[in-house]
Amino acid sequence: MKHPSKRSPHPRPGSTLPAAAMPAMQAAVGAHRAGRLPEAIQFYRQALKAAPRAPEIHYNLGVALKNTGQARAAEKALTEAVRLRPAYALAHSMLADLCHQSGRGAKALRHRLDAYRADPNAGAIVSGLVTQLGQIRFSEADPRLLDIVTALLLRDDVEGQRLAGVSLSLLAHNPKIASALENYAPDDLPLDKPPALLLAVLERTIVADPAWERLLTQLRSDLLTTFDAISDGRAPLVRALAAQMLATDYAYLVTAKDAAAVKALRREGDSLTADHVRLALFDPLKEIGQALSAPSDWSGFVDTHMSRPLSEQATAETIERLTPISDSTSLAVQDQYTALPYPRWLTTRGTTARPRSDILQQIAPQLPVDAAPKDPAPLKILVAGCGTGKHAVDVATRFANADVLAIDLSLPSLGYAKAQAARMGQSEIRFGQADILTLGRIDERFAHIEAMGVLHHLAEPLAGWQVLRGLLAPGGTMRIGLYSRRGRGAIRAAQSIAAVYPHDSDGLRELRQAILALPEDHPAAPVRNELDFYTLNGVRDALAHAQEHDYTVREIADLLDQLDLQFLGFEFALPAPLQLFHESFGPDHRQDDLTAWDRLEQEHPELFHHMYQFWCKPANG
């Protein structure tokens, strides 16, 4: 997605504007592209005198005014552009940015919705809409909004989890669903005609909410005795619920009564039966070992629960073994992610690939242009510890001309990763099994290396980081993720509770129920707000990991010094931390000042949430 300040003037010279406006328009676009914005503004105004009803000129003028800090004038020009052309998607999108920056969220959303309706396939427009919707909780449900959010959830270029919260807030205004949630009464749900949004949420997100979990747990138990034919009118909701259970790794409570009923279900046969469906609400169907024939409306169910998992198992056997794995900690971590690959994911956010140099300019604005690393072609990237592949796909779609090698310890994770990457159209990503500690023996060198949330799971993180540093090509950069000690107080409290539970599936389910039962003021209670708490693989990763370390900003500075690496800047998913930094230290304060960041985190322990994400490069490279 293009950064707003980088948007090109539109249209190019030679478009169907009145002839009288063309000389000034051509001069304006030329000056705009050359960065001479005051000159461009002057020429755009001249062009408007000849063609005052040309929306493209008003749009270009608005872009130039915005980029020179003239927000009010920019908004006036862009408003005129959409008055003249109501379906002008780019103009609506930029108006949304201006409204959002000035705190007018409702008006920003209206413009984002207008932009989306005008051009629902524009990646930047979709991304802007999803980002804003992801931060909203509605006090009432608008039917038009229900349809739009449902459509967004069903797209493969939208990371559905970002819309889970807003979707649940919209569903909560459905009278039947509100009653079911309040009374934990599944019979109050619209079982035969569930809202499309409810089905999409269950199928495409993880429902991270205790009240919803209690309701869905009871619904699942009821279906064990009442769902007795795949022709049942409740089939769409049952299929969606089974998808939710698979996504959570079957994290929900299983009573002794439920366990006995599940054990009695018939697993044999070549055709899908109600018993198979009920089983899929409690256990993975892949254990049957074959896909079953089914009516066309159940083909997606069979694909999700049987064909895909079996295909992923076969794909795992094709993964190249790049290095041996013999370190005891690495083997323990491998066992963990072999049993519970992390995370399970379906979609990834759509982005427009950009040169690394452009991305780095935003991360490290203090870095002189002539000191920024140049991008080779192709840009060889190593994703060290790719898990189930979402990170690898994100990297491959983020960087222009990327050639990605993604490695991990766990073969089941890599099988899932390779299969999912192919489904996302990223079959060119290379996956390999390897241990970071022995990765130095491979011959490849990389222009960019990403190790996000991986090094802190090594017995000696510095040793693994040193290996990765040795794999950098000249001009290389690194993006590193390490746990923040100050941001993990609730997690450490929950880890103390987790220490007394077995770390198998039954033990993790018991652990979750114990934490769900904690009073609101318990130090561990906030982990119930974390997405990871709602999946077994997430609970194991966050609360019962085989090995982890955490850090402060000062300790990271020491590690960088030991590795002779230059800190370039932190990266955040949302703008709030950077805004706080500039409010605290001034708009011109260097973003690579680690002493300032350390001071700010002491005042705001949740600043980095749980993990620092930052860029660095060799100090002399």
Side-chain angles (χ1 to χ4, degrees):
M1 176 176 60
K2 290 185 177 180
H3 190 269
S5 65
K6 298 292 185 182
R7 286 182 181 170
S8 301
H10 174 268
R12 293 177 175 83
S15 67
T16 56
L17 289 174
M22 285 307 299
M25 185 63 170
Q26 289 175 330
V29 170
H32 196 153
R33 287 181 174 157
R36 303 191 304 273
L37 295 181
E39 181 182 340
I41 290 169
Q42 184 178 6
F43 280 121
Y44 285 135
R45 293 194 189 280
Q46 289 181 22
L48 281 174
K49 290 178 181 178
R53 296 187 59 78
E56 299 93 339
I57 305 177
H58 288 284
Y59 170 77
N60 282 7
L61 175 61
V63 173
L65 288 166
K66 180 180 183 295
N67 292 345
T68 55
Q70 302 178 66
R72 281 192 176 183
E75 185 171 346
K76 182 179 178 181
L78 293 163
T79 299
E80 183 64 11
V82 299
R83 187 188 72 81
L84 293 166
R85 183 187 294 168
Y88 202 156
L90 289 174
H92 279 298
S93 182
M94 185 161 280
L95 277 168
D97 291 342
L98 287 167
C99 292
H100 185 76
Q101 290 165 11
S102 59
R104 292 170 290 162
K107 190 172 183 179
L109 180 59
R110 287 198 295 272
H111 281 298
R112 294 205 192 281
L113 290 169
D114 285 340
Y116 175 75
R117 292 184 185 105
D119 190 355
N121 295 315
I125 288 172
V126 171
S127 179
L129 177 58
V130 170
T131 297
Q132 185 169 1
L133 284 172
Q135 301 172 54
I136 294 175
R137 302 296 179 265
F138 286 99
S139 57
E140 60 184 33
D142 181 334
R144 295 169 298 176
L145 206 54
L146 288 168
D147 291 341
I148 287 176
V149 174
T150 301
L152 288 169
L153 276 173
L154 296 176
R155 292 175 63 134
D156 283 341
D157 61 347
V158 168
E159 192 175 354
Q161 195 61 45
R162 301 169 71 198
L163 296 172
V166 68
S167 299
L168 295 181
S169 80
L170 290 168
L171 288 169
H173 298 295
N174 178 303
K176 290 186 176 181
I177 292 175
S179 174
L181 285 168
E182 183 178 355
N183 300 309
Y184 305 124
D187 287 344
D188 290 348
L189 288 169
L191 298 174
D192 290 332
K193 294 183 178 180
L197 180 57
L198 175 59
L199 299 180
V201 166
L202 293 175
E203 291 171 352
R204 309 284 284 191
T205 81
I206 292 163
V207 178
D209 180 276
W212 273 96
E213 179 170 334
R214 286 192 290 270
L215 176 63
L216 296 176
T217 299
Q218 186 60 54
L219 174 61
R220 185 176 70 159
S221 292
D222 291 352
L223 290 168
L224 261 178
T225 56
T226 65
F227 187 82
D228 53 15
I230 61 174
S231 58
D232 191 309
R234 297 170 295 173
L237 183 58
V238 174
R239 288 194 292 265
L241 180 60
Q244 181 67 199
M245 296 304 101
L246 182 64
T248 68
D249 278 312
Y250 301 92
Y252 287 14
L253 171 70
V254 180
T255 66
K257 181 180 178 182
D258 287 344
V262 170
K263 190 174 181 180
L265 293 174
R266 186 175 63 85
R267 291 157 170 79
E268 300 79 13
D270 297 325
S271 299
L272 185 72
T273 67
D275 271 13
H276 292 125
V277 176
R278 290 194 291 259
L279 178 61
L281 294 172
F282 289 85
D283 283 314
L285 275 189
K286 67 179 182 181
E287 306 302 332
I288 293 176
Q290 64 172 353
L292 304 174
S293 62
S296 58
D297 55 336
W298 284 93
S299 60
F301 174 89
V302 171
D303 185 52
T304 297
H305 291 270
M306 308 186 81
S307 302
R308 282 191 178 190
L310 292 171
S311 174
E312 289 154 10
Q313 288 179 343
T315 300
E317 297 305 314
T318 71
I319 300 295
E320 183 180 2
R321 277 69 162 178
L322 298 178
T323 76
I325 302 169
S326 57
D327 176 79
S328 60
T329 299
S330 297
L331 289 169
V333 173
Q334 180 187 42
D335 288 345
Q336 173 179 329
Y337 291 119
T338 296
L340 287 169
Y342 171 84
R344 184 180 297 278
W345 60 282
L346 293 176
T347 59
T348 187
R349 66 186 67 182
T351 57
T352 299
R354 299 167 56 201
R356 176 186 57 168
S357 53
D358 283 5
I359 297 169
L360 191 56
Q361 187 178 28
Q362 290 180 257
I363 303 298
Q366 76 284 342
L367 193 66
V369 174
D370 58 358
K374 303 298 184 289
D375 286 4
L379 185 74
K380 297 193 70 171
I381 301 176
L382 171 67
V383 178
C386 68
T388 51
K390 184 178 183 303
H391 183 200
V393 171
D394 286 344
V395 167
T397 56
R398 182 186 193 189
F399 292 91
N401 203 20
D403 174 10
V404 178
L405 171 64
I407 62 105
D408 200 80
L409 294 166
S410 162
L411 278 179
S413 296
L414 288 164
Y416 187 97
K418 187 173 181 179
Q420 271 293 91
R423 294 178 194 127
M424 295 292 106
Q426 296 295 323
S427 56
E428 297 303 311
I429 298 174
R430 295 174 291 139
F431 291 95
Q433 186 185 36
D435 187 348
I436 288 174
L437 294 174
T438 53
L439 200 58
R441 66 183 62 189
I442 69 172
D443 294 330
E444 284 190 82
R445 294 297 179 264
F446 303 91
H448 182 66
I449 295 176
E450 302 229 350
M452 301 299 296
V454 177
L455 293 174
H456 49 228
H457 292 314
L458 300 178
E460 297 182 24
L462 183 62
W465 197 350
Q466 182 70 66
V467 171
L468 296 180
R469 191 198 188 289
L471 293 172
L472 278 177
T477 52
M478 307 182 87
R479 181 170 173 246
I480 303 294
L482 295 172
Y483 281 151
S484 163
R485 186 173 305 145
R486 294 183 181 118
R488 290 173 64 80
I491 288 177
R492 284 197 299 277
Q495 286 173 337
S496 297
I497 298 172
V500 302
Y501 286 87
H503 295 169
D504 59 9
S505 295
D506 289 338
L508 293 174
R509 289 190 193 97
E510 291 177 15
L511 167 63
R512 293 191 69 255
Q513 294 305 309
I515 292 175
L516 283 168
L518 293 174
E520 290 292 331
D521 60 352
H522 192 282
V527 302
R528 298 187 296 232
N529 300 323
E530 301 293 335
L531 176 62
D532 277 349
F533 179 72
Y534 292 88
T535 69
L536 282 196
N537 56 42
V539 169
R540 179 70 197 273
D541 184 81
L543 306 185
H545 204 284
Q547 174 71 62
E548 73 173 47
H549 302 264
D550 53 27
Y551 297 89
T552 65
V553 174
R554 287 186 178 275
E555 289 170 346
I556 287 175
D558 290 340
L559 291 172
L560 290 166
D561 285 343
Q562 292 180 60
L563 293 164
D564 196 27
L565 290 169
Q566 175 187 350
F567 176 78
L568 296 176
F570 287 110
E571 186 167 8
F572 301 96
L574 296 173
L578 271 177
Q579 290 173 355
L580 180 62
F581 180 86
H582 290 306
E583 289 169 6
S584 301
F585 302 107
D588 298 323
H589 197 94
R590 290 176 63 101
Q591 290 176 200
D592 60 347
D593 183 349
L594 284 172
T595 300
W597 280 110
D598 184 61
R599 201 164 85 211
L600 194 62
E601 190 190 20
Q602 290 181 52
E603 298 169 3
H604 304 275
E606 293 296 320
L607 183 67
F608 295 95
H609 197 45
H610 301 319
M611 191 163 69
Y612 306 110
Q613 299 183 38
F614 59 92
W615 286 56
C616 56
K617 72 178 187 69
N620 298 313

